[in-house]
Amino acid sequence: MNNAFNIGKVFGISLRLHYSWFFIFILVTTSLAFGGLYPPGLPLWQGMVGGVITSLLFFASVVAHEITHSLVARRYGIPVHSITLFIFGGVAKITKEADRPGAEAVMAAAGPFSSFVIAGIFGALWLAVHQSGIEVATSSIYWLAYINLSLGAFNLIPGFPLDGGRVLRAILWKSGGDYRKATRMASLTGRGVGYLFILGGLGSAFLLQSWFQGIWLTFIGWFLENAASSSYRQVALRDTLLTIKAANVMTTDCMAVLSSMPLMQIVREHILPAGRRCFLVTTDSRLEGIITLSNIRAIPRTRWETTTARDAMTPADRFKTVKPDDDAYSVLSRMEENDLDYIPVADGEQVLGLISRESLLHHMRTRAELGI
Ligand SMILES: [Zn+2]
């Protein structure tokens, strides 16, 4: 997720905050502080302190939910990149999908399970303190038990990509054996759930005049519908990419330039006349790196005469090459993991060609136009 920044690490997983989280944090905090949770007549500062602490504990519970997903994923050998808090809750960036329905189901169910456990802990705490007379603490703990219970229950709704939808997909996958078909069906229910939320939201806004709740529900529904359809598109795309070999999408007319060549010469002789955008940088026909338009743009124009290809290139040890037999899905994942726009295809030492993100997308568009 872009527009997010790191705030630390939990169990080796980076924890990130998306800017939209601040909006929901302020909303939750103010509605806790001033929304009638605390008894009337409470000093203002107590309500505000209570609101902030309760809100932070709530988001910590959301993080715990995501961490549980992540730790289970890791047990199945699936690395987890980061956890991001954003306006609609939390999301763990799990780098790949489970390869067995059993693993998928356990990974998905672990999140709501942790929310129920947390709800139980706050419930027990409430039983212990509710007669203590400390009203701010008692009300906050009660709300935390209730909200974690709701969080667990909401996530169990069987609409993909909610956790319950993932469990549903795992069951369909297990019974039918077809991952893509299972995803399509689970996404359809996900979209259905999204539309129900939108309808419910519009209903409560216009019929019940609860504008805020209505708009919020509509928003969540819209988000779910979007997430469900894009998740399915991703799976469909992955399926197609898996059938394509790196050798079929690479460009082989990739020009090699000597590492000692000044940038000005590359621009004047190769980029402007032929429109080439990417070059292999070699010394004695050994690959040293890649130089692209963006590498050249990063160097001020006044220094193009004196800067060589070697000085401006992305060195070969920064990216791993792919093999001609690798599928396009792993090529694209490799590009995404390392934030690359180009990746060389090599057989041993010998570079055979180059794949760019652009050419891969172009290939996919062409296939879509031909209907294959
Ligand atoms: Zn979850």
Side-chain angles (χ1 to χ4, degrees):
M1 198 176 274
N2 295 326
N3 298 322
F5 56 90
N6 280 315
I7 52 166
K9 276 195 172 198
V10 206
F11 294 107
I13 302 164
S14 358
L15 192 57
R16 295 164 65 77
L17 281 188
H18 186 259
Y19 293 118
S20 65
W21 175 79
F22 289 96
F23 173 76
I24 191 72
F25 175 70
I26 291 168
L27 195 72
V28 170
T29 308
T30 46
S31 69
L32 283 170
F34 308 111
L37 172 68
Y38 300 129
L42 192 78
L44 186 68
W45 70 270
Q46 280 193 23
M48 283 166 73
V49 171
V52 171
I53 293 175
T54 310
S55 184
L56 288 175
L57 283 171
F58 164 60
F59 288 105
S61 310
V62 175
V63 170
H65 173 117
E66 295 305 326
I67 283 181
T68 314
H69 281 306
S70 308
L71 293 182
V72 175
R74 222 194 247 169
R75 263 198 76 106
Y76 285 109
I78 301 173
V80 180
H81 199 262
S82 58
I83 290 172
T84 307
L85 284 179
F86 73 122
I87 190 165
F88 293 119
V91 61
K93 189 169 182 206
I94 293 175
T95 50
K96 56 180 187 188
E97 303 275 357
D99 51 9
R100 281 173 295 129
E104 162 99 350
V106 176
M107 255 164 69
F113 176 74
S114 73
S115 295
F116 292 142
V117 169
I118 296 169
I121 294 171
F122 281 117
L125 207 58
W126 180 80
L127 281 178
V129 299
H130 77 288
Q131 281 171 334
S132 67
I134 314 167
E135 290 191 73
V136 184
T138 324
S139 317
S140 297
I141 291 168
Y142 182 83
W143 182 81
L144 284 165
Y146 161 80
I147 200 73
N148 274 294
L149 200 63
S150 314
L151 188 68
F154 171 76
N155 274 291
L156 278 182
I157 295 174
F160 189 79
L162 290 174
D163 298 333
R166 290 183 179 274
V167 174
L168 173 68
R169 172 169 78 171
I171 293 168
L172 294 171
W173 183 10
K174 172 98 181 152
S175 61
D178 186 337
Y179 176 73
R180 184 169 171 173
K181 213 163 142 191
T183 307
R184 189 172 64 221
M185 284 163 75
S187 316
L188 278 177
T189 64
R191 296 182 67 182
V193 170
Y195 284 124
L196 281 179
F197 269 82
I198 294 176
L199 270 182
L202 294 177
S204 71
F206 290 104
L207 301 178
L208 305 176
Q209 312 280 309
S210 334
W211 293 101
F212 183 76
Q213 185 188 317
I215 291 170
W216 192 242
L217 280 177
T218 309
F219 224 6
I220 291 179
W222 168 81
F223 171 74
L224 278 180
E225 199 282 329
N226 253 303
S229 42
S230 80
S231 309
Y232 176 62
R233 275 199 305 274
Q234 265 171 27
V235 171
L237 178 69
R238 187 189 84 137
D239 266 20
T240 315
L241 286 170
L242 280 172
T243 63
I244 302 170
K245 296 258 172 283
N248 302 125
V249 281
M250 67 185 184
T251 28
T252 47
D253 67 339
C254 199
M255 249 200 85
V257 294
L258 290 176
S259 56
S260 56
M261 195 183 272
L263 297 185
M264 193 51 127
Q265 192 183 349
I266 300 178
V267 171
R268 208 180 289 138
E269 292 178 12
H270 304 298
I271 295 178
L272 294 178
R276 290 198 163 95
R277 305 165 67 85
C278 180
F279 303 87
L280 304 172
V281 181
T282 55
T283 310
D284 305 331
S285 74
R286 189 167 42 83
L287 179 73
E288 285 212 34
I290 295 182
I291 189 161
T292 66
L293 287 194
S294 53
N295 292 117
I296 297 178
R297 248 201 326 263
I299 308 284
R301 226 181 128 169
T302 46
R303 287 173 39 205
W304 286 3
E305 290 281 5
T306 50
T307 308
T308 61
R310 183 192 277 122
D311 299 329
M313 71 184 184
T314 310
D317 53 17
R318 279 269 316 278
F319 45 72
K320 288 189 181 125
T321 54
V322 294
K323 295 192 192 68
D325 276 345
D326 284 350
D327 61 79
Y329 178 68
S330 57
V331 173
L332 196 62
S333 319
R334 177 87 49 89
M335 283 183 181
E336 260 161 25
E337 275 163 33
N338 300 299
D339 202 21
L340 299 169
D341 287 325
Y342 293 88
I343 202 158
V345 184
D347 196 4
E349 285 279 279
Q350 201 198 352
V351 176
L352 303 172
L354 202 63
I355 298 178
S356 68
R357 233 179 243 260
E358 218 178 339
S359 67
L360 198 54
L361 292 178
H362 185 75
H363 181 91
M364 296 303 292
R365 263 201 302 275
T366 313
R367 286 177 77 103
E369 274 174 38
L370 291 169
I372 54 174

